[in-house]
mmCIF file of all heavy atoms in Angstrom:
data_model
loop_
_atom_site.group_PDB
_atom_site.id
_atom_site.type_symbol
_atom_site.label_atom_id
_atom_site.label_comp_id
_atom_site.label_asym_id
_atom_site.label_seq_id
_atom_site.Cartn_x
_atom_site.Cartn_y
_atom_site.Cartn_z
ATOM 1 N N ILE A 18 -33.537 -144.553 -57.191
ATOM 2 C CA ILE A 18 -33.473 -145.928 -57.434
ATOM 3 C C ILE A 18 -34.575 -146.285 -58.482
ATOM 4 O O ILE A 18 -35.665 -145.820 -58.374
ATOM 5 C CB ILE A 18 -33.644 -146.845 -56.223
ATOM 6 C CG1 ILE A 18 -32.844 -146.417 -55.002
ATOM 7 C CG2 ILE A 18 -33.440 -148.314 -56.530
ATOM 8 C CD1 ILE A 18 -31.340 -146.488 -55.167
ATOM 9 N N LEU A 19 -34.129 -147.008 -59.549
ATOM 10 C CA LEU A 19 -35.058 -147.456 -60.488
ATOM 11 C C LEU A 19 -35.447 -149.011 -60.336
ATOM 12 O O LEU A 19 -34.567 -149.748 -60.171
ATOM 13 C CB LEU A 19 -34.547 -147.341 -61.943
ATOM 14 C CG LEU A 19 -35.373 -147.970 -63.114
ATOM 15 C CD1 LEU A 19 -36.687 -147.257 -63.222
ATOM 16 C CD2 LEU A 19 -34.519 -147.902 -64.377
ATOM 17 N N VAL A 20 -36.715 -149.256 -60.202
ATOM 18 C CA VAL A 20 -37.163 -150.648 -60.121
ATOM 19 C C VAL A 20 -38.143 -150.891 -61.270
ATOM 20 O O VAL A 20 -39.265 -150.315 -61.326
ATOM 21 C CB VAL A 20 -37.973 -150.925 -58.927
ATOM 22 C CG1 VAL A 20 -38.491 -152.327 -58.755
ATOM 23 C CG2 VAL A 20 -37.098 -150.586 -57.496
ATOM 24 N N THR A 21 -37.837 -151.727 -62.252
ATOM 25 C CA THR A 21 -38.605 -152.122 -63.316
ATOM 26 C C THR A 21 -39.617 -153.302 -62.780
ATOM 27 O O THR A 21 -39.218 -154.031 -62.026
ATOM 28 C CB THR A 21 -37.909 -152.625 -64.483
ATOM 29 O OG1 THR A 21 -37.246 -153.839 -64.294
ATOM 30 C CG2 THR A 21 -36.771 -151.542 -64.964
ATOM 31 N N GLY A 22 -40.846 -153.244 -63.391
ATOM 32 C CA GLY A 22 -41.788 -154.239 -62.891
ATOM 33 C C GLY A 22 -42.030 -153.949 -61.445
ATOM 34 O O GLY A 22 -42.152 -154.910 -60.652
ATOM 35 N N GLY A 23 -42.229 -152.714 -61.069
ATOM 36 C CA GLY A 23 -42.329 -152.311 -59.709
ATOM 37 C C GLY A 23 -43.730 -152.170 -59.199
ATOM 38 O O GLY A 23 -43.958 -151.556 -58.108
ATOM 39 N N SER A 24 -44.776 -152.587 -59.930
ATOM 40 C CA SER A 24 -46.066 -152.340 -59.450
ATOM 41 C C SER A 24 -46.644 -153.399 -58.664
ATOM 42 O O SER A 24 -47.833 -153.369 -58.080
ATOM 43 C CB SER A 24 -47.052 -152.091 -60.769
ATOM 44 O OG SER A 24 -46.996 -153.226 -61.503
ATOM 45 N N SER A 25 -46.033 -154.553 -58.519
ATOM 46 C CA SER A 25 -46.489 -155.678 -57.626
ATOM 47 C C SER A 25 -45.397 -156.666 -57.322
ATOM 48 O O SER A 25 -44.275 -156.590 -57.801
ATOM 49 C CB SER A 25 -47.625 -156.500 -58.478
ATOM 50 O OG SER A 25 -47.052 -157.075 -59.584
ATOM 51 N N ILE A 27 -42.412 -158.843 -56.009
ATOM 52 C CA ILE A 27 -41.052 -158.671 -55.550
ATOM 53 C C ILE A 27 -40.623 -157.124 -55.869
ATOM 54 O O ILE A 27 -39.945 -156.500 -55.064
ATOM 55 C CB ILE A 27 -39.973 -159.630 -56.242
ATOM 56 C CG1 ILE A 27 -40.264 -161.015 -55.628
ATOM 57 C CG2 ILE A 27 -38.541 -159.144 -55.842
ATOM 58 C CD1 ILE A 27 -39.501 -162.095 -56.440
ATOM 59 N N GLY A 28 -41.008 -156.653 -57.143
ATOM 60 C CA GLY A 28 -40.623 -155.313 -57.570
ATOM 61 C C GLY A 28 -41.250 -154.315 -56.448
ATOM 62 O O GLY A 28 -40.552 -153.294 -56.127
ATOM 63 N N LEU A 29 -42.442 -154.413 -56.224
ATOM 64 C CA LEU A 29 -43.156 -153.468 -55.301
ATOM 65 C C LEU A 29 -42.588 -153.592 -53.867
ATOM 66 O O LEU A 29 -42.378 -152.585 -53.195
ATOM 67 C CB LEU A 29 -44.701 -153.574 -55.254
ATOM 68 C CG LEU A 29 -45.483 -152.707 -54.446
ATOM 69 C CD1 LEU A 29 -45.181 -151.246 -54.719
ATOM 70 C CD2 LEU A 29 -46.925 -153.060 -54.461
ATOM 71 N N ALA A 31 -39.587 -154.390 -53.136
ATOM 72 C CA ALA A 31 -38.317 -153.753 -53.240
ATOM 73 C C ALA A 31 -38.376 -152.210 -53.262
ATOM 74 O O ALA A 31 -37.687 -151.598 -52.491
ATOM 75 C CB ALA A 31 -37.467 -154.265 -54.325
ATOM 76 N N ALA A 32 -39.429 -151.784 -54.005
ATOM 77 C CA ALA A 32 -39.540 -150.333 -54.127
ATOM 78 C C ALA A 32 -39.845 -149.749 -52.775
ATOM 79 O O ALA A 32 -39.466 -148.712 -52.219
ATOM 80 C CB ALA A 32 -40.560 -149.903 -55.121
ATOM 81 N N VAL A 42 -37.757 -143.236 -55.480
ATOM 82 C CA VAL A 42 -38.008 -144.411 -56.227
ATOM 83 C C VAL A 42 -38.745 -144.157 -57.475
ATOM 84 O O VAL A 42 -39.808 -143.450 -57.435
ATOM 85 C CB VAL A 42 -38.685 -145.474 -55.374
ATOM 86 C CG1 VAL A 42 -38.812 -146.797 -56.170
ATOM 87 C CG2 VAL A 42 -38.071 -145.864 -53.999
ATOM 88 N N VAL A 43 -38.242 -144.652 -58.654
ATOM 89 C CA VAL A 43 -38.955 -144.617 -59.800
ATOM 90 C C VAL A 43 -39.351 -145.997 -60.200
ATOM 91 O O VAL A 43 -38.527 -146.914 -60.282
ATOM 92 C CB VAL A 43 -37.886 -144.115 -60.965
ATOM 93 C CG1 VAL A 43 -38.721 -144.163 -62.452
ATOM 94 C CG2 VAL A 43 -37.384 -142.745 -60.660
ATOM 95 N N ILE A 44 -40.600 -146.306 -60.438
ATOM 96 C CA ILE A 44 -40.964 -147.672 -60.751
ATOM 97 C C ILE A 44 -41.585 -147.728 -62.147
ATOM 98 O O ILE A 44 -42.142 -146.717 -62.657
ATOM 99 C CB ILE A 44 -42.118 -148.194 -59.770
ATOM 100 C CG1 ILE A 44 -43.318 -147.255 -59.776
ATOM 101 C CG2 ILE A 44 -41.524 -148.455 -58.436
ATOM 102 C CD1 ILE A 44 -44.367 -147.834 -58.901
ATOM 103 N N THR A 45 -41.439 -148.805 -62.868
ATOM 104 C CA THR A 45 -42.209 -148.994 -64.197
ATOM 105 C C THR A 45 -43.062 -150.195 -64.218
ATOM 106 O O THR A 45 -42.964 -151.048 -63.295
ATOM 107 C CB THR A 45 -41.026 -149.231 -65.235
ATOM 108 O OG1 THR A 45 -40.470 -150.432 -65.109
ATOM 109 C CG2 THR A 45 -39.984 -148.226 -65.128
ATOM 110 N N GLY A 46 -43.925 -150.261 -65.140
ATOM 111 C CA GLY A 46 -44.724 -151.345 -65.298
ATOM 112 C C GLY A 46 -45.789 -151.194 -66.431
ATOM 113 O O GLY A 46 -45.733 -150.001 -67.147
ATOM 114 N N LEU A 52 -49.801 -149.481 -61.623
ATOM 115 C CA LEU A 52 -48.710 -148.588 -61.433
ATOM 116 C C LEU A 52 -48.924 -147.429 -60.596
ATOM 117 O O LEU A 52 -48.187 -147.026 -59.725
ATOM 118 C CB LEU A 52 -48.173 -148.282 -62.892
ATOM 119 C CG LEU A 52 -46.812 -147.665 -63.028
ATOM 120 C CD1 LEU A 52 -45.756 -148.694 -62.509
ATOM 121 C CD2 LEU A 52 -46.466 -147.326 -64.424
ATOM 122 N N LEU A 66 -43.578 -144.710 -64.288
ATOM 123 C CA LEU A 66 -43.506 -144.562 -65.690
ATOM 124 C C LEU A 66 -44.035 -145.896 -66.459
ATOM 125 O O LEU A 66 -43.495 -146.910 -66.119
ATOM 126 C CB LEU A 66 -42.087 -144.229 -66.069
ATOM 127 C CG LEU A 66 -41.518 -142.958 -65.527
ATOM 128 C CD1 LEU A 66 -39.977 -142.930 -65.778
ATOM 129 C CD2 LEU A 66 -42.187 -141.684 -66.001
ATOM 130 N N ASN A 68 -44.109 -148.620 -69.066
ATOM 131 C CA ASN A 68 -42.940 -149.067 -69.744
ATOM 132 C C ASN A 68 -43.217 -150.590 -69.962
ATOM 133 O O ASN A 68 -43.571 -151.358 -69.055
ATOM 134 C CB ASN A 68 -41.670 -148.809 -69.089
ATOM 135 C CG ASN A 68 -40.527 -148.995 -69.980
ATOM 136 O OD1 ASN A 68 -39.967 -150.148 -69.940
ATOM 137 N ND2 ASN A 68 -40.083 -148.068 -70.815
ATOM 138 N N ALA A 70 -41.066 -153.754 -70.737
ATOM 139 C CA ALA A 70 -39.684 -154.179 -70.734
ATOM 140 C C ALA A 70 -39.283 -155.051 -71.894
ATOM 141 O O ALA A 70 -38.055 -155.267 -72.204
ATOM 142 C CB ALA A 70 -39.313 -154.936 -69.449
ATOM 143 N N LEU A 79 -37.433 -144.956 -71.658
ATOM 144 C CA LEU A 79 -37.366 -144.870 -70.249
ATOM 145 C C LEU A 79 -36.133 -144.021 -69.869
ATOM 146 O O LEU A 79 -36.318 -143.208 -68.995
ATOM 147 C CB LEU A 79 -37.228 -146.268 -69.592
ATOM 148 C CG LEU A 79 -37.077 -146.244 -68.177
ATOM 149 C CD1 LEU A 79 -38.087 -145.632 -67.339
ATOM 150 C CD2 LEU A 79 -36.818 -147.828 -67.763
ATOM 151 N N VAL A 93 -30.290 -149.781 -59.779
ATOM 152 C CA VAL A 93 -31.273 -150.311 -60.682
ATOM 153 C C VAL A 93 -31.551 -151.710 -60.387
ATOM 154 O O VAL A 93 -30.667 -152.456 -60.197
ATOM 155 C CB VAL A 93 -30.791 -150.150 -62.210
ATOM 156 C CG1 VAL A 93 -31.925 -150.733 -63.123
ATOM 157 C CG2 VAL A 93 -30.502 -148.772 -62.563
ATOM 158 N N PHE A 94 -32.795 -152.175 -60.107
ATOM 159 C CA PHE A 94 -33.288 -153.349 -59.986
ATOM 160 C C PHE A 94 -34.088 -153.755 -61.235
ATOM 161 O O PHE A 94 -35.255 -153.249 -61.356
ATOM 162 C CB PHE A 94 -34.153 -153.533 -58.624
ATOM 163 C CG PHE A 94 -34.633 -154.992 -58.462
ATOM 164 C CD1 PHE A 94 -33.920 -156.054 -58.764
ATOM 165 C CD2 PHE A 94 -35.926 -155.067 -57.828
ATOM 166 C CE1 PHE A 94 -34.447 -157.232 -58.618
ATOM 167 C CE2 PHE A 94 -36.408 -156.372 -57.551
ATOM 168 C CZ PHE A 94 -35.696 -157.515 -58.000
ATOM 169 N N LEU A 95 -33.492 -154.541 -62.069
ATOM 170 C CA LEU A 95 -34.225 -155.031 -63.292
ATOM 171 C C LEU A 95 -35.044 -156.214 -62.955
ATOM 172 O O LEU A 95 -34.578 -157.350 -63.083
ATOM 173 C CB LEU A 95 -33.182 -155.184 -64.292
ATOM 174 C CG LEU A 95 -32.342 -154.036 -64.852
ATOM 175 C CD1 LEU A 95 -31.287 -154.428 -65.817
ATOM 176 C CD2 LEU A 95 -33.341 -152.978 -65.496
ATOM 177 N N ASN A 96 -36.243 -155.925 -62.541
ATOM 178 C CA ASN A 96 -37.127 -157.091 -62.058
ATOM 179 C C ASN A 96 -38.165 -157.498 -63.022
ATOM 180 O O ASN A 96 -38.734 -158.488 -63.015
ATOM 181 C CB ASN A 96 -37.725 -156.438 -60.709
ATOM 182 C CG ASN A 96 -38.824 -157.379 -60.254
ATOM 183 O OD1 ASN A 96 -38.676 -158.422 -59.881
ATOM 184 N ND2 ASN A 96 -40.099 -156.800 -60.389
ATOM 185 N N ALA A 97 -38.465 -156.571 -63.960
ATOM 186 C CA ALA A 97 -39.585 -156.932 -64.885
ATOM 187 C C ALA A 97 -39.314 -158.194 -65.673
ATOM 188 O O ALA A 97 -38.141 -158.365 -66.214
ATOM 189 C CB ALA A 97 -39.813 -155.793 -65.984
ATOM 190 N N GLY A 98 -40.260 -159.178 -65.714
ATOM 191 C CA GLY A 98 -40.033 -160.343 -66.417
ATOM 192 C C GLY A 98 -41.360 -161.154 -66.660
ATOM 193 O O GLY A 98 -42.343 -160.633 -66.099
ATOM 194 N N THR A 119 -38.639 -160.192 -73.129
ATOM 195 C CA THR A 119 -38.822 -159.564 -71.786
ATOM 196 C C THR A 119 -37.768 -159.834 -70.773
ATOM 197 O O THR A 119 -37.161 -158.961 -69.969
ATOM 198 C CB THR A 119 -40.115 -160.009 -71.079
ATOM 199 O OG1 THR A 119 -41.174 -159.688 -72.091
ATOM 200 C CG2 THR A 119 -40.406 -159.160 -69.790
ATOM 201 N N GLY A 123 -34.763 -157.380 -73.013
ATOM 202 C CA GLY A 123 -35.083 -156.106 -72.274
ATOM 203 C C GLY A 123 -34.090 -155.606 -71.358
ATOM 204 O O GLY A 123 -33.635 -154.517 -71.472
ATOM 205 N N PRO A 124 -33.561 -156.439 -70.476
ATOM 206 C CA PRO A 124 -32.514 -155.981 -69.517
ATOM 207 C C PRO A 124 -31.239 -155.613 -70.301
ATOM 208 O O PRO A 124 -30.601 -154.634 -69.733
ATOM 209 C CB PRO A 124 -32.175 -157.137 -68.529
ATOM 210 C CG PRO A 124 -33.515 -157.986 -68.572
ATOM 211 C CD PRO A 124 -34.151 -157.798 -69.919
ATOM 212 N N GLN A 127 -31.834 -152.286 -71.785
ATOM 213 C CA GLN A 127 -32.130 -151.239 -70.736
ATOM 214 C C GLN A 127 -30.887 -150.745 -70.148
ATOM 215 O O GLN A 127 -30.752 -149.584 -69.892
ATOM 216 C CB GLN A 127 -33.123 -151.850 -69.764
ATOM 217 C CG GLN A 127 -33.647 -150.764 -68.827
ATOM 218 C CD GLN A 127 -34.554 -149.730 -69.573
ATOM 219 O OE1 GLN A 127 -35.726 -150.037 -69.771
ATOM 220 N NE2 GLN A 127 -34.076 -148.654 -69.975
ATOM 221 N N LEU A 131 -29.372 -147.035 -70.208
ATOM 222 C CA LEU A 131 -29.277 -146.224 -68.949
ATOM 223 C C LEU A 131 -27.902 -145.771 -68.661
ATOM 224 O O LEU A 131 -27.786 -145.068 -67.709
ATOM 225 C CB LEU A 131 -29.853 -147.117 -67.805
ATOM 226 C CG LEU A 131 -31.406 -147.352 -67.810
ATOM 227 C CD1 LEU A 131 -31.673 -148.340 -66.648
ATOM 228 C CD2 LEU A 131 -32.092 -145.998 -67.557
ATOM 229 N N VAL A 142 -28.942 -154.749 -60.054
ATOM 230 C CA VAL A 142 -29.250 -156.188 -59.762
ATOM 231 C C VAL A 142 -30.399 -156.626 -60.654
ATOM 232 O O VAL A 142 -31.337 -155.954 -60.982
ATOM 233 C CB VAL A 142 -29.872 -156.111 -58.272
ATOM 234 C CG1 VAL A 142 -30.255 -157.548 -57.924
ATOM 235 C CG2 VAL A 142 -28.996 -155.474 -57.341
ATOM 236 N N ASN A 144 -33.075 -159.655 -61.702
ATOM 237 C CA ASN A 144 -33.813 -160.802 -61.144
ATOM 238 C C ASN A 144 -33.678 -162.052 -62.020
ATOM 239 O O ASN A 144 -34.084 -162.008 -63.166
ATOM 240 C CB ASN A 144 -35.346 -160.298 -61.078
ATOM 241 C CG ASN A 144 -36.085 -161.170 -60.057
ATOM 242 O OD1 ASN A 144 -35.589 -162.203 -59.653
ATOM 243 N ND2 ASN A 144 -37.305 -160.860 -59.784
#
Side-chain angles (χ1 to χ4, degrees):
I18 314 294
L19 171 66
V20 178
T21 69
S24 60
S25 66
I27 292 170
L29 180 55
V42 182
V43 182
I44 60 172
T45 72
L52 196 59
L66 299 171
N68 190 265
L79 177 55
V93 177
F94 179 33
L95 294 172
N96 168 70
T119 305
Q127 192 64 82
L131 289 174
V142 180
N144 197 348

